[in-house]
Amino acid sequence: MATQELRLKASDSEKITINLGPIDLGQIDLLVQEGFYANRTDLIRTAIRNQLAQHADVVKQTVARKSLVLGMQHYSRQDLEQLQAAGERLRIHVLGLASIANDVSVELALATIESIFVLGALHASAVLKTALAGRIH
């Protein structure tokens, strides 16, 4: 499959929600107020990146062990049509972003995608996600 290099914009990121106690939140606000960070989000992103960097070796080992594609993987209609013509089925295993083109029909997806395992985000139409729900792990 051809990997399409995609640049993530802020609007392409995934939103998460966390709950913090008042003491932690107060300390974050203090660091923001003192100018160490631009805002709460900046501190939280920095903390997450620092933790990910600290565990980078474990991530690399796990990616290799589970045969995951690291980064972004895009599947076009043409990619899936080629698989279908070859009589092959696809197992999507991605750590990062997996995307399926909007012009991929439900029939084509069902005929070519055997399973989907994504740690991160899966971008596909709501119709495709519903049709493939039993194959998404």
Side-chain angles (χ1 to χ4, degrees):
M1 292 300 105
T3 301
Q4 180 181 3
E5 290 297 323
L6 302 172
R7 292 183 186 247
L8 290 179
K9 298 175 236 147
S11 63
D12 292 334
S13 61
E14 296 291 321
K15 183 176 183 175
I16 64 169
T17 302
I18 62 170
N19 295 316
L20 294 173
I23 295 172
D24 292 337
L25 191 55
Q27 291 179 71
I28 290 171
D29 287 344
L30 177 69
L31 292 171
V32 169
Q33 184 180 30
E34 292 299 311
F36 287 94
Y37 299 93
N39 51 45
R40 291 174 173 176
T41 300
D42 184 32
L43 181 143
I44 293 166
R45 279 190 189 127
T46 300
I48 290 169
R49 287 182 184 130
N50 288 341
Q51 286 298 302
L52 292 173
Q54 184 176 354
H55 299 287
D57 287 341
V58 171
V59 170
K60 286 178 189 174
Q61 291 169 8
T62 304
V63 165
R65 187 178 76 245
K66 293 189 175 194
S67 300
L68 296 167
V69 172
L70 178 61
M72 294 171 266
Q73 186 74 42
H74 178 73
Y75 301 93
S76 69
R77 183 177 51 114
Q78 182 181 5
D79 293 331
L80 298 182
E81 287 171 345
Q82 288 173 354
L83 280 172
Q84 188 176 36
E88 297 177 8
R89 294 181 53 85
L90 180 63
R91 291 184 186 138
I92 298 172
H93 293 126
V94 174
L95 188 152
L97 171 65
S99 65
I100 303 171
N102 288 333
D103 63 348
V104 171
S105 68
V106 169
E107 294 78 18
L108 180 60
L110 290 172
T112 57
I113 299 174
E114 186 172 313
S115 64
I116 300 174
F117 177 76
V118 177
L119 295 170
L122 171 62
H123 288 189
S125 69
V127 172
L128 278 184
K129 285 183 178 180
T130 300
L132 294 168
R135 299 175 189 190
I136 298 173
H137 308 285

